[in-house]
Amino acid sequence: MTDLKVAIAGAGGRMGAANIRAVTATPGLVVHSAFDRPGSPAIGRDAGEVAGIERLGVVIVDDAEAALAGAEAIIDFTVPAVSVLLAERAASLGLVHIIGTTGCSRDEDWAIQKAGSAGARIVKTGNFSLGVNMLAGLVRQVARALPGYDVEILEMHHNKKVDAPSGTALMLGQAAAAGRGVDFDASAVRGRDGHTGPRVPGTIGFAALRGGNVIGDHTVIFAGETERIEITHRAESRAMFAAGAMQAALWAKDQPAGFYDMADVLGVKEQD
Ligand code: NAD
């Protein structure tokens, strides 16, 4: 079987570099092309060189359309507006589209899901790591088993991160809401400042810290009257996000067009 030809979106970014290394190291996948935004310092450079590995003979371009020609899959950790446009192109070209981008609005998420029903094979998740996806299952179970406990989610990331709360924190909040059988958007308290009054029972609170080089720490706290459970995940390397994205690409190539998440890829999807 021939290797799946992958176009790397945002090739000059932190995750872009991790994805170039991961594609190169994964049997069954090959870097077909790489692109970034016009003006990015990565444009014109070799993708392998930018990722700190051997030269791949793939020059990073600023023309997404040219990069998609002949590609079979897109690995995309960029920004929401770009992921929406790429999902629409993936639908018309029938491509696998692996999306790690976080911070999408409800409308952007909806447009991406629509691309799944229009012909793309999309896997999108706020976190591609095995550990966080296991943690989400655990959070769902604990939230269901301990309905009276207050749920608070604390996250910390590096000082370049632009969205808050993180995609992973939101994903963990959604897992807690699913465990409780409540609507996530109606329960989420995404920040507190000033005279906020006492905590509203049943809400799911978020706090976001930013600093240094932290790749991603998440703690879900279940606070009861007489005890507190804290479940923590710490990302030690971007390589595990990239490894999950590779696993998703290899899985998605054999699926019908649709919109999937990492629980589908890992076979741990729970029904609501
Ligand atoms: P980054 O800023 O280092 O990289 C983003 C890249 O996208 C940059 O190189 C930027 O130039 C590029 N880009 C912007 N506009 C573009 C365009 N029009 N065309 C092509 N490329 C364009 O950020 P990062 O740390 O690599 O994170 C990227 C995204 O991935 C963020 O949303 C982050 O939260 C998310 N992320 C997700 C996971 C996960 O597991 N789902 C893990 C880590 C990061």
Side-chain angles (χ1 to χ4, degrees):
M1 221 162 48
T2 57
D3 290 343
L4 189 73
K5 294 181 196 149
V6 176
I8 308 281
R14 283 174 287 266
M15 280 305 302
N19 287 325
I20 291 166
R21 292 192 289 273
V23 170
T24 307
T26 304
L29 300 178
V30 64
V31 179
H32 171 74
S33 58
F35 62 103
D36 208 295
R37 64 178 166 77
S40 157
I43 303 303
R45 295 184 60 199
D46 184 89
E49 196 181 38
V50 165
I53 54 174
E54 74 278 8
R55 289 177 71 84
L56 299 176
V58 174
V59 173
I60 300 177
V61 297
D62 62 4
D63 179 351
E65 209 47 48
L68 296 187
E72 296 168 303
I74 311 168
I75 309 255
D76 167 16
F77 288 63
T78 57
V79 292
V82 171
S83 294
V84 170
L85 290 175
L86 289 175
E88 285 161 1
R89 287 306 286 139
S92 52
L93 297 168
L95 304 181
V96 166
H97 187 189
I98 306 303
I99 307 177
T101 307
T102 59
C104 291
S105 67
R106 190 194 283 265
D107 285 352
E108 286 164 335
D109 267 329
W110 174 239
I112 289 171
Q113 286 183 29
K114 223 169 58 184
S117 43
R121 280 157 285 157
I122 295 179
V123 181
K124 180 176 186 288
T125 175
N127 196 304
F128 275 98
S129 93
L130 185 60
V132 160
N133 282 279
M134 295 302 120
L135 175 62
L138 210 57
V139 166
R140 188 176 168 127
Q141 276 179 34
V142 178
R144 184 185 298 132
L146 303 174
Y149 286 48
D150 296 330
V151 184
E152 293 284 312
I153 300 175
L154 176 66
E155 56 107 334
M156 180 160 185
H157 282 82
H158 56 87
N159 55 22
K160 307 279 186 313
K161 185 162 178 65
V162 293
D163 54 310
S166 69
T168 304
L170 294 171
M171 178 179 151
L172 294 170
Q174 277 154 357
R180 293 262 163 99
V182 298
D183 178 60
F184 172 71
D185 290 324
S187 316
V189 175
R190 296 170 63 135
R192 298 186 181 99
D193 186 25
H195 187 83
T196 58
R199 192 180 196 284
V200 177
T203 51
I204 298 171
F206 292 87
L209 312 181
R210 295 289 175 265
N213 250 331
V214 179
I215 293 177
D217 290 355
H218 293 86
T219 298
V220 182
I221 302 165
F222 292 91
E225 288 302 314
T226 53
E227 62 178 356
R228 195 162 71 234
I229 302 170
E230 300 185 1
I231 315 175
T232 295
H233 178 273
R234 295 187 204 284
E236 309 281 3
S237 160
R238 291 188 172 84
M240 50 96 192
F241 300 132
M246 302 306 117
Q247 189 179 351
L250 289 168
W251 176 86
K253 77 179 169 52
D254 299 322
Q255 306 305 317
F259 180 83
Y260 305 98
D261 64 18
M262 207 49 191
D264 294 305
V265 176
L266 297 170
V268 295
K269 190 95 176 181
E270 282 185 55
Q271 296 312 315
D272 290 329

